[in-house]
Amino acid sequence: MQENTQNKELLPKKYKIEECIDNLKRHEYRIVLKAIPGIIGKGMTTFYNYRDILIDDQLDIPYKIARKLEILFGLETGGLETTKTEGKHYREIVEAHRKRQ
C-alpha cells in the first residue's frame, strides 16, 4: 500500500495550477490565494484538492471553474491542462460507422 502511495506522488499533476501560483510574486501570492475561493465559488480546501489532482485521477475540475482559473492566470482556453485533450470530430465517427455498414 505504501509503495502505491509513493508511486502516485511521482505522477505529474493534471492541471498547471501549482505552476501558475509559483509564478506569482510573494505579495501577489497572498492576495490571489485569498481571492480564489470567491472567484471560483468554492472553499479553499476544494481549491487545494483541485490543485492536487494527478494526471491519472478520474476527478476533473468542472469546466466553468477551470475556465475562471485560466482567465485568472492569463491562460488560453485549455491552457490549465498539462496534457492536451484529444478526440475525434463527429464526422470521423459517422464516416467510420458508414464504412462498417
Side-chain angles (χ1 to χ4, degrees), residues 1-99:
M1 172 119 181
Q2 188 177 15
E3 183 179 319
N4 189 22
T5 305
Q6 289 175 346
N7 288 342
K8 283 192 86 69
E9 290 175 0
L10 298 176
L11 289 173
K13 306 282 184 180
K14 190 179 271 192
Y15 300 101
K16 298 176 188 175
I17 298 171
E18 196 74 38
E19 288 177 33
C20 293
I21 290 173
D22 288 345
N23 289 332
L24 299 173
K25 296 177 180 141
R26 187 186 319 185
H27 69 281
E28 293 172 335
Y29 175 87
R30 283 189 254 133
I31 294 167
V32 170
L33 221 54
K34 287 180 183 176
I36 285 176
I39 293 168
I40 65 172
K42 301 289 181 187
M44 186 58 80
T45 303
T46 303
F47 171 68
Y48 283 137
N49 290 339
Y50 288 160
R51 187 182 68 174
D52 294 334
I53 296 173
L54 299 176
I55 197 102
D56 70 341
D57 287 344
Q58 292 296 316
L59 185 65
D60 280 319
I61 298 175
Y63 175 77
K64 191 171 184 177
I65 294 172
R67 189 64 195 122
K68 287 179 181 181
L69 290 171
E70 288 169 345
I71 293 167
L72 175 71
F73 294 118
L75 302 171
E76 296 291 322
T77 303
L80 198 62
E81 295 180 292
T82 54
T83 58
K84 181 146 175 68
T85 301
E86 296 181 8
K88 293 182 179 181
H89 192 276
Y90 77 90
R91 289 183 183 151
E92 293 177 63
I93 295 168
V94 171
E95 188 61 35
H97 177 75
R98 286 183 183 153
K99 288 180 180 179

